[in-house]
Each structure stands twice: as C-alpha cells, then as structure tokens.
C-alpha cells in the first residue's frame, strides 16, 4: 500500500493533475465527504486528508509514505528525516511583510524601532528580521493575521500573499517580499527504500508532469 498525505484546498486541487499523470485518480471529493482516507482507482494507493501543517509530521513518522506540502510549512516545521525530491511548482504564492496603509514601515525600520509582528510563521519571520538587524517582538497567531494591525495588536504581519486581495480588502499593503513559496513533494526515507519501485514511479511521473506544465 502507498499512502499519500494531502491537505484540502488549493494543494489538493493542484495535485489532482499530477496524480492523474501518475495514473492515479482520487475517487472521492474531500470537500463533499467527511472521510479522511480517500480511495483511488488503484487498490494499493490511498490518500489521507490532513491539516496542511501536519503533512510533514505524517510523512516523517511514516503515517504516510509521501506528502505534498508548502515550502512555508516545511520551513516552519523543519524537514528532518524527509526526502524532498521535487518542487512541484503548484500553489505558488509568496511570504511577505504587510502593514496598515498609514503605517510608515520604512521609517520604523530605519530608526531601529522595535516592531511588533504577528504571524503564523514565527521561524521564518524571526530569521528574516534577524538578517535585516531589525528588533521584533513576535506574536504567534493561527489565522486571520490581517486583523492584527487593524486592531493594534501588531505593527506588521508576515503572511502568505497570493492575489493580494485579502490585504487589499483589509487596507493593508505589502512592504517586503520575504520569499517565493510553492509546494514540494516529501517522501519518508524508509518508505523510499522499502517501496522503492512504486515510489520512484510516482516521483518520475510527477517530475515529467511538472516539466510539461512548466516548459
Ligand atoms: C492565505 C493567507 C491570506 C490569503 C492570501 O490564507 O493567510 O489570508 O491566503 O491570499 P490572497 O492574496 O489571494 O488574498 P488561506 O486562505 O491559505 O487560509 P489561512 O488563513 O488558514 O492560512
């Protein structure tokens, strides 16, 4: 049995064409079903529906053989014990610093003031501001980060930006671009040895599909 861990939403939808290229079709829609283990057209391949931040954990401990997760999640979680053979070039976005449109970020940074930054990405934010030599107080949040500058909880946020619509709708502006994000294939190292043939076949099919989609 080959077990693949996926999260619902954009990563799931963007992964379906890659699975198809590997001859795998998921037979149930996670948005319509409460089932967490989805069957595929292949009796020996199944898909687990897990929280995005849990994908590395499932793969690391062998609860899943393979998983697909964002670079953001891997950087926050750490990627110890995970083999990362492929950048799948899907679910592309960026991690940025954003502030209220009326907040003078450039002056605050130049004057060496202490910034309060709210984010789900504490490790990424800490590293980014440390490299810039900016003193920050980090506040960990789990979602709706955009509210933090609007309510006075923080001066800035570090969050994912895709279309920019969420920032715009909340009168926030992007002031720094930290890094580009896309989803990666991660593989359990023991599974790679024990189920080499089946896993290699999936990696190769994904790789060919990524090349085709990104000429
Ligand atoms: C992300 C992010 C922003 C939004 C940005 O949230 O936290 O809120 O997407 O997208 P946009 O630039 O296209 O508007 P997501 O929907 O992944 O949910 P989350 O709040 O659970 O992270």
């Amino acid at each position: 049995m080959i077990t693949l861990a996926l999260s619902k939403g954009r990563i799931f939808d963007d992964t379906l064409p890659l699975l198809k290229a590997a001859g795998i079709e998921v037979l149930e829609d996670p948005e319509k079903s409460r089932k967490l283990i989805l069957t595929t057209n292949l009796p020996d391949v199944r898909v687990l529906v897990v929280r995005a931040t849990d994908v590395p954990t499932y793969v690391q401990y062998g609860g899943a053989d393979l998983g697909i997760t964002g670079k953001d999640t891997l950087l926050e979680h750490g990627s110890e014990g995970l083999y990362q053979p492929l950048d799948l070039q899907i679910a592309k976005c960026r991690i940025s610093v954003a502030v209220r449109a009326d907040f003078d970020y450039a002056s605050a940074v130049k004057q060496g003031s202490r910034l309060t930054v709210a984010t789900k990405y504490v490790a990424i934010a800490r590293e980014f501001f440390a490299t810039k030599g900016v003193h920050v107080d980090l506040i960990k949040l789990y979602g709706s980060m955009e509210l933090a500058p609007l309510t006075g909880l923080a001066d800035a946020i570090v969050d994912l930006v895709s279309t920019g619509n969420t920032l715009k709708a909340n009168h926030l502006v992007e002031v720094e671009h930290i890094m580009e994000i896309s989803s990666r294939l991660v593989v359990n190292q023991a599974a790679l040895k024990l189920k080499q043939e089946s896993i290699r076949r999936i990696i190769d099919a994904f790789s060919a599909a990524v090349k085709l989609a990104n000429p």
Side-chain angles (χ1 to χ4, degrees), residues 19 21 27 34 49 52 78 92 123 125 131 135 141 143 156-157 165-166 191 197 212:
L19 286 173
L27 301 177
R34 301 290 294 171
V49 181
K92 286 188 186 175
T131 306
H135 296 288
L141 290 178
I157 58 170
N165 289 339
T166 309
E197 207 177 307
L212 209 62

Side-chain angles (χ1 to χ4, degrees), residues 18 21-22 66 83 85-86 88 185 187 192 196-212:
L18 297 175
L66 306 129
Y83 173 55
L86 267 184
L88 298 171
L185 180 66
V187 183
L192 185 62
Q196 202 173 27
E197 207 177 307
S198 330
I199 291 182
R200 270 282 152 216
R201 195 180 55 75
I202 294 176
I203 296 174
D204 292 346
F206 275 19
S207 171
V210 171
K211 282 199 188 110
L212 209 62

Side-chain angles (χ1 to χ4, degrees), residues 120 144 146 159-166:
K120 175 154 87 174
S144 302
E146 295 81 9
D159 195 10
L160 292 182
V161 181
S162 175
T163 59
N165 289 339
T166 309

